[in-house]
Amino acid sequence: MKAYVFPGQGAQYVGMGKDVYDNNPMAKELFEKANEILGFRITDLMFEGTDEDLKQTKVTQPAIFLHSVILSKTLGNDFQPEMVAGHSLGEFSALVAAGALSFEDGLKLVYQRAMAMQKACEIKPSTMAAIVGLEDSVVEEVCNAVDDVVVAANYNCPGQLVISGTFEGIDKACELLKEKGAKRALKLPVGGAFHSPLMEPARAELAEAIENTKFDIPVCPVYQNVDAKPQTDPATIKANLVSQLTAPVRWTQTVQNMLADGADHFTEIGPGKVLQGLIKKVDRSAQTDGISQLQ
């Protein structure tokens, strides 16, 4: 079965999407529509901005979403997904690509999500760290033992887990995890503690926007971050999307479930190759490829 996966924050680069914009009239039209919806020319920042411009959450999230979704639309009839999934923000790209959300509604939600997350980061300064080389259960145990907000946030692949929390909580957890034998405990250059209880203000804000948006039955199952299970029911998809902001991204389990359900080829659509690497770490024999430019 053919599975398509969509990347999340961190995959952005200057120049992303420019070849698609320049060489496909339909893509150009969608990018211009996005500029209109957002009220600023995100295309200028994507094609000619700086790394700093692209790092702002309110730019990063819609930029990656646009690159992924517009690329999937340029595939036309060649895009026949039998299952889809996206990492964090990428879940919105997956939902639009699978027809559960319109392009316009997807972009509006992604922008609202980015702004809400930005706000939550300002309320309580916080961060994330990548932990490499330990069992998930050991990382969870250490997080629970720290007397501050620090939680497992992204189960990326076996032996790689990202934790999320206050600066103090992350520092303490990194120290303890190194003592437990972590190969690396590295703070990430992110704006806040995504997928943690510190995102509660953003979750509450986004819940209303999601509730008021029309979702349809997707053309294929969407494996969601919160439970790693295939979903097609719009009400369940909505509820999981709301929970996603404060709950961990279960990417390892998502890939395992997709493989168990018959996925034999994964195509990553959008910037970068991060998800292809993670899928290979879950199962070395999995077939992967990527589409990051116009075919």
Side-chain angles (χ1 to χ4, degrees):
M1 288 174 81
K2 189 89 172 113
Y4 287 89
V5 293
F6 297 85
Q9 212 160 327
Q12 70 277 5
Y13 61 89
V14 175
M16 59 191 283
K18 188 167 181 352
D19 67 310
V20 195
Y21 179 97
D22 289 343
N23 299 300
N24 186 294
M26 178 203 62
K28 184 174 185 173
E29 203 176 299
L30 287 172
F31 273 119
E32 287 300 342
K33 188 185 270 188
N35 287 333
E36 216 172 285
I37 290 169
L38 295 172
F40 67 95
R41 291 194 62 79
I42 192 167
T43 48
D44 292 352
L45 298 173
M46 289 170 71
F47 306 160
E48 286 139 26
T50 64
D51 285 337
E52 281 310 306
D53 290 333
L54 277 184
K55 252 187 218 162
Q56 301 172 69
T57 298
K58 66 174 187 179
V59 176
T60 315
Q61 295 196 18
I64 292 170
F65 168 86
L66 288 170
H67 191 191
S68 297
V69 168
I70 292 173
L71 263 177
S72 73
K73 289 189 180 294
T74 64
L75 298 174
N77 290 334
D78 289 342
F79 184 68
Q80 300 283 345
E82 291 172 277
M83 47 175 83
V84 295
H87 191 289
S88 189
L89 153 76
E91 189 159 288
F92 287 83
S93 309
L95 287 164
V96 173
L101 261 177
S102 71
F103 172 78
E104 294 82 355
D105 285 343
L107 177 59
K108 285 175 191 166
L109 284 179
V110 163
Y111 191 56
Q112 282 172 292
R113 177 184 190 264
M115 297 300 276
M117 287 169 83
Q118 189 90 46
K119 254 190 273 178
C121 294
E122 286 157 14
I123 292 168
K124 178 75 181 170
S126 50
T127 192
M128 301 174 85
I131 311 302
V132 178
L134 284 178
E135 292 285 325
D136 291 350
S137 57
V138 175
V139 180
E140 291 163 350
E141 213 173 282
V142 167
C143 287
N144 290 337
V146 173
D147 188 20
D148 212 323
V149 179
V150 56
V151 296
N154 296 349
Y155 293 81
N156 282 335
C157 64
Q160 192 198 109
L161 208 165
V162 174
I163 60 174
S164 194
T166 61
F167 281 107
E168 300 79 9
I170 292 289
D171 285 342
K172 185 69 187 147
C174 284
E175 202 181 297
L176 293 170
L177 288 161
K178 280 179 187 160
E179 284 170 19
K180 291 273 186 189
K183 286 183 193 158
R184 276 165 79 198
L186 183 72
K187 273 206 249 182
L188 299 176
V190 294
F194 305 140
H195 303 288
S196 83
L198 296 172
M199 284 293 119
E200 180 54 39
R203 191 198 66 79
E205 199 175 313
L206 194 66
E208 196 182 337
I210 286 173
E211 213 31 69
N212 295 327
T213 302
K214 181 180 183 289
F215 280 65
D216 295 311
I217 296 170
V219 297
C220 66
V222 179
Y223 286 70
Q224 291 193 275
N225 292 178
V226 168
D227 60 6
K229 291 177 183 163
Q231 306 295 353
T232 53
D233 171 54
T236 307
I237 288 171
K238 279 184 170 191
N240 283 344
L241 264 191
V242 172
S243 302
Q244 195 224 60
L245 275 183
T246 51
V249 172
R250 299 189 178 280
W251 189 253
T252 305
Q253 298 86 337
T254 295
V255 174
Q256 287 166 340
N257 288 345
M258 291 170 99
L259 287 162
D261 292 345
D264 53 17
H265 195 112
F266 292 84
T267 300
E268 180 173 7
I269 300 186
K273 296 179 175 180
V274 171
L275 299 184
Q276 294 166 67
L278 295 180
I279 290 163
K280 284 284 193 194
K281 283 180 179 154
V282 174
D283 184 343
R284 213 181 284 170
S285 65
Q287 293 292 303
T288 63
D289 64 3
I291 298 170
S292 59
Q293 292 187 315
L294 201 60
Q295 295 296 285

